[in-house]
Amino acid sequence: MVKSNMFEEATDQREKEQTQLTAVVTGNAPEKSERTMKMTFSISPQDRILVKTYAIRRNLTVSDLFHKWIIEFCSE
């Protein structure tokens, strides 16, 4: 069993808090009845920066950005 270090845990917690704060401030907070799940995938550092910058410029969280993409491209 691989145990994460305390810095990773603190970083994950801070990112979660920041996402929640940003969502509330921008009015993009999900409804309380909406369930969420954590998903992990790998992208290059350059792509990560591009995605985060794109979302920030549009006052979105990365989760909101992916949700919009899913609705646009994956819905039938």
Side-chain angles (χ1 to χ4, degrees), residues 1-64:
M1 178 180 188
V2 176
K3 194 172 187 181
S4 62
N5 67 40
M6 67 180 186
F7 298 111
E8 288 179 31
E9 292 172 8
T11 300
D12 290 343
Q13 181 62 31
R14 178 64 183 126
E15 286 178 357
K16 182 180 176 183
E17 291 170 357
Q18 186 62 43
T19 300
Q20 291 172 342
L21 287 171
T22 302
V24 170
V25 170
T26 61
N28 294 326
E31 294 179 18
K32 297 217 184 266
S33 63
E34 192 175 312
R35 286 187 55 175
T36 61
M37 297 180 73
K38 186 173 183 176
M39 183 173 153
T40 304
F41 59 98
S42 298
I43 60 174
S44 70
Q46 296 84 6
D47 286 348
R48 180 179 181 270
I49 292 169
L50 287 172
V51 168
K52 290 187 92 163
T53 303
Y54 184 90
I56 289 168
R57 288 185 178 157
R58 285 155 182 79
N59 294 321
L60 296 169
T61 63
V62 173
S63 294
D64 289 337

